[in-house]
Amino acid sequence: MADDIIKTALEQFRESQDGSDYNRVAAQDDIRFARMSDQWPRKVREQRIAEGRPCLTINKLPSFIRQVVNDARQNKPGIGVHPVDSGADVATAEVIGGLVRSIERGSNAEIAYDTAIDHAVTGGFGFFRIGIDYAHDETFDMECQIQRVPNPLMVHWDISSTEFDASDWTYAFVSDFLSEDQFRARYPKADPVSWEGGLNEDAVNWTEESKLRLAEYWLRTEESRNLIMLSNGDTVREDMLPKMAAEFFAAGAFELGGMVDDEQLVRNFLSAAGLHQRAIREVRAHKVKRRIINGQEVLEEEDWPGATIPICPVWGDEVIIDGKRHFLSMIRDAKDPQTMFNFWRSATTELVALAPRAPWLIEEGAIPKGQQGVWRTANTRSHAYLPYAKGHNMPKRETFAGVPAGALQESLNANDDMKSILGIYDASLGARSNETSGRAILARQRESDVSNFHFIDNLNRAIRYAGRCLVDIIPAVYSTRSSIRILGEDMKDKVARLAGDNPDAEGGLYNLAVGKYDVTVRSGPSYSTQREETRETLIEIMRAVPDSAALLGDVLLDHMDFVGADKVSKRLQLLLPLRIQQAEGIAPPPQTQQAGGIAPPQPMPAEPGMPGPAPQNAGLFGGGPDEEAPL
């Protein structure tokens, strides 16, 4: 069995390697070029260094990369969960959404997102992943995690995939290295055999001396099962009916006379519940297994609770040619202009550096005897004076004509070519440009954002897929708990009580295992940035409308972060007019006050020697409510 698994994994790995090697080689070259400033051909660099000629690398690409990556950092996508069938509800969807936000915060998902889009912009593709681990070292509670993939070349994906995310991947590999000591400590009974995957020497592989390579092997298989619609409209899986029947009878509704098999149990259940099968259809379902393998055996194996492989790809610019998917980085076409920019800047530097070395024009015999050594070093050393023979014309140096205008223009052209290819101009980089009005500058910045927005949008699609993976596995990971900690949209902690193992629990308990939910992603400023914008807007409103401060003061305090802001906000709410307090739920509405027997405000007692207040509903001249005022 293990041999068959290793054999299948080896075949799939070779298929992925052969079908994605061109993307991996190009990505590695882009990363070296843009991030490691490896921008000169090796032979040209060696020759120029040997000749003592300038070989400058003025790498302008990281600033363009950071422009897109940091734009994505400022506009964090938010995962929203909403119900999609009759078994789901909005309140539970909000709880699941709050749990997803809690998972993001607890696992530092921002780092995973930022790393993935940085790799996609720089190399053409990046990844992050979903994992499950213990909440901490002293508990059996499990929790979901969003984990970063530090090197995109670690991942080998299903090359037959046609979906933009990983929802149709049938396999995937994530490679990693362990030292031999680490391997023996983790797997003391296994042989230290490295997983090489049959890589060719020319391929971008993961061989490293003195370390063993392991592969995390994901396999998604398909199976058929029947879906049944009952007469009451409920839809259930055929394989779940025996469990439903057993729970029905275990609740004490009916007694079974003796032992029965599953088929008889289901028939008795349907008869007792007054149900029958209205329709049945065959559906395709998927199961996912996760294995850790080395070169000869399976070291770990477990079932994944979801139906898709939880690796989230962030692709660059996708182009399909001859049935092959090419993933291009943002800087792929800007490498030639960057190379030319380096060449022309090196050329102009070389011309300026050679200016003091212009040869001297000397008449024959003009060098005095014994002074030849001084003149030989005239271009390399600074001498106080240079003697020449009497009776000869004074030696003179050739005048430096300056750097040719063509060389300077070519470097400017290469610089402009990079901007036009990348679609990022001076206004977006913070430099002063020809635009003078703020509207024109914003328009030019908008052009840059639009030209590279597909990278940010691809990150949003990957995060949406991650949200679907989380919604898929959350019931299996968290449903057994009695309560979970979630985050509201304002990023404040809340506690939600769960139904646990009781699917019929009511009374404010949320059942995460009932109903189907889907995910949407909305992109925009982070919540902290929105709070800052709200504060500024409220302050401007108060300045423009001074009387509004009494009505908006509590809202402004809700968006302040100093200690005690919430307490001050609650006190300011007590100064609001009664109608606003009732509308905001701070004070009960009038009918509630009367129904609840809340006593109306009592008049203050009169001080000695002062007349007391007139009775309620008293007449104009102080009579009682039933007394007529005298004419």
Side-chain angles (χ1 to χ4, degrees):
M1 181 64 178
D3 293 340
D4 294 338
I5 293 174
I6 298 298
K7 180 180 178 181
T8 302
L10 183 60
E11 293 174 353
Q12 292 174 335
F13 189 91
R14 288 174 176 171
E15 177 187 74
S16 176
Q17 179 67 40
D18 295 339
S20 64
D21 188 54
Y22 55 91
N23 280 313
R24 305 169 73 82
V25 171
Q28 188 179 50
D29 185 69
D30 289 350
I31 294 171
R32 288 185 179 276
F33 189 94
R35 292 298 193 185
M36 303 303 295
S37 300
D38 187 5
Q39 298 177 356
W40 284 88
R42 182 175 56 84
K43 293 183 178 180
V44 175
R45 174 185 288 274
E46 291 175 354
Q47 181 179 358
R48 294 180 71 93
I49 292 176
E51 295 174 356
R53 302 174 62 190
C55 188
L56 305 180
T57 300
I58 304 174
N59 191 3
K60 306 193 73 170
L61 295 179
S63 61
F64 293 106
I65 294 172
R66 286 191 292 268
Q67 183 68 26
V68 178
V69 174
N70 291 340
D71 190 13
R73 292 188 178 192
Q74 289 181 331
N75 296 274
K76 292 298 182 185
I79 298 176
V81 180
H82 55 86
V84 295
D85 68 355
S86 59
D89 61 88
V90 175
T92 305
E94 292 178 355
V95 170
I96 296 176
L99 180 56
V100 170
R101 286 188 289 271
S102 178
I103 293 170
E104 287 184 308
R105 186 181 71 173
S107 54
N108 292 324
E110 292 183 353
I111 299 176
Y113 300 156
D114 296 341
T115 303
I117 192 173
D118 196 318
H119 291 155
V121 173
T122 307
F125 55 88
F127 304 92
F128 61 93
R129 55 182 296 176
I130 310 298
I132 301 175
D133 201 355
Y134 289 105
H136 53 83
D137 292 339
E138 297 183 0
T139 184
F140 287 97
D141 290 338
M142 308 296 289
E143 66 176 8
C144 301
Q145 298 176 346
I146 299 176
Q147 303 164 345
R148 82 173 190 137
V149 176
N151 190 334
L153 300 180
M154 295 169 61
V155 180
H156 285 75
W157 61 89
D158 184 358
I159 60 170
S160 63
S161 170
T162 57
E163 296 293 337
F164 201 77
D165 52 26
S167 58
D168 62 340
W169 286 9
T170 58
Y171 65 85
F173 296 86
V174 182
S175 301
D176 201 0
F177 285 106
L178 293 178
S179 67
E180 187 170 347
D181 292 339
Q182 291 173 329
F183 179 88
R184 293 188 181 280
R186 186 177 300 182
Y187 307 107
K189 297 181 180 180
D191 294 331
V193 179
S194 183
W195 166 264
E196 300 301 338
L199 293 175
N200 299 324
E201 293 181 359
D202 296 333
V204 178
N205 54 39
W206 275 78
T207 57
E208 185 170 324
E209 295 182 1
S210 71
K211 286 196 174 182
L212 299 172
R213 182 185 186 192
L214 301 183
E216 185 179 18
Y217 173 40
W218 294 88
L219 184 63
R220 182 171 181 253
T221 56
E222 187 179 64
E223 62 180 15
S224 62
R225 64 189 182 196
N226 292 329
L227 195 66
I228 298 176
M229 177 181 290
L230 300 177
S231 56
N232 63 353
D234 291 342
T235 301
V236 297
R237 287 164 38 187
E238 186 179 34
D239 58 336
M240 295 299 295
L241 277 175
K243 181 180 179 182
M244 292 177 58
E247 292 176 350
F248 178 79
F249 290 116
F254 294 93
E255 292 292 337
L256 291 177
M259 300 295 293
V260 295
D261 57 14
D262 288 347
E263 184 177 353
Q264 182 64 38
L265 184 66
V266 171
R267 285 200 300 266
N268 294 341
F269 162 64
L270 296 178
S271 175
L275 301 174
H276 64 272
Q277 296 182 8
R278 180 183 297 178
I280 184 171
R281 73 183 184 93
E282 184 180 7
V283 297
R284 311 299 294 178
H286 296 89
K287 290 184 176 181
V288 177
K289 274 192 176 293
R290 173 185 175 271
R291 298 182 175 96
I292 304 296
I293 59 177
N294 64 2
Q296 69 178 19
E297 61 183 315
V298 178
L299 304 175
E300 296 181 30
E301 183 175 4
E302 62 181 352
D303 292 326
W304 180 255
T308 55
I309 295 176
I311 298 175
C312 309
V314 181
W315 303 121
D317 200 0
E318 181 189 39
V319 179
I320 300 178
I321 300 177
D322 297 331
K324 293 185 177 181
R325 300 173 72 188
H326 297 258
F327 302 109
L328 311 180
S329 66
M330 186 186 74
I331 57 95
R332 182 73 52 85
D333 295 329
K335 291 160 69 174
D336 285 347
Q338 174 66 62
T339 302
M340 293 306 299
F341 184 78
N342 292 336
F343 173 79
W344 287 112
R345 290 301 298 269
S346 297
T348 55
T349 301
E350 186 176 13
L351 290 172
V352 173
L354 289 176
R357 299 183 182 182
W360 290 86
L361 299 181
I362 304 175
E363 291 183 358
E364 186 177 356
I367 298 178
K369 291 182 179 181
Q371 300 296 326
Q372 289 82 357
V374 176
W375 279 95
R376 289 193 186 98
T377 58
N379 282 340
T380 58
R381 297 179 59 184
S382 178
H383 297 286
Y385 57 89
L386 295 172
Y388 66 97
K390 194 173 186 180
H392 293 270
N393 293 326
M394 183 177 65
K396 63 179 181 179
R397 189 193 291 270
E398 284 288 339
T399 304
F400 176 59
V403 178
L408 296 176
Q409 185 61 44
E410 285 299 327
S411 64
L412 294 175
N413 290 342
N415 190 43
D416 291 339
D417 287 342
M418 275 189 283
K419 296 176 186 177
S420 60
I421 290 173
L422 299 173
I424 299 177
Y425 303 96
D426 292 336
S428 296
L429 297 172
R432 183 180 297 275
S433 58
N434 295 331
E435 295 86 355
T436 56
S437 68
R439 185 183 297 271
I441 293 175
L442 291 176
R444 180 58 61 88
Q445 291 175 342
R446 177 66 176 171
E447 291 178 8
S448 301
D449 293 341
V450 171
S451 64
N452 294 291
F453 181 74
H454 56 289
F455 289 98
I456 299 177
D457 194 44
N458 289 349
L459 173 63
N460 295 344
R461 294 174 181 178
I463 293 177
R464 182 182 182 187
Y465 175 70
R468 288 177 171 174
C469 291
L470 288 172
V471 169
D472 193 19
I473 67 175
I474 276 175
V477 178
Y478 294 92
S479 290
T480 57
R481 300 189 188 183
S482 60
S483 63
I484 55 174
R485 186 169 296 277
I486 64 175
L487 288 182
E489 291 190 358
D490 57 356
M491 303 307 290
K492 292 184 178 179
D493 289 309
K494 300 177 183 178
V495 175
R497 298 176 59 203
L498 302 183
D501 294 330
N502 182 9
D504 300 322
E506 297 179 356
L509 302 184
Y510 299 97
N511 195 331
L512 304 181
V514 176
K516 296 293 183 182
Y517 298 88
D518 200 3
V519 171
T520 56
V521 171
R522 55 185 183 277
S523 182
S526 63
Y527 186 77
S528 60
T529 306
Q530 295 178 20
R531 286 169 60 87
E532 295 172 3
E533 293 178 356
T534 302
R535 288 199 297 265
E536 296 297 329
T537 302
L538 290 174
I539 292 174
E540 291 300 324
I541 293 175
M542 292 179 182
R543 289 174 178 170
V545 186
D547 294 340
S548 65
L551 303 176
L552 301 178
D554 63 312
V555 182
L556 177 62
L557 266 295
D558 285 338
H559 292 80
M560 294 288 188
D561 298 323
F562 64 86
V563 178
D566 54 342
K567 182 181 294 186
V568 179
S569 174
K570 292 179 181 179
R571 295 190 178 187
L572 289 178
Q573 290 175 352
L574 300 178
L575 302 179
L576 294 173
L578 182 60
R579 293 180 61 185
I580 296 181
Q581 292 188 29
Q582 293 171 346
E584 296 288 340
I586 302 170
Q591 61 270 21
T592 304
Q593 293 180 357
Q594 296 174 3
I598 300 176
Q602 298 297 323
M604 296 293 293
E607 296 182 7
M610 297 293 292
Q616 192 172 9
N617 298 328
L620 182 63
F621 291 92
D626 298 327
E627 297 177 2
E628 295 183 0
L631 297 177

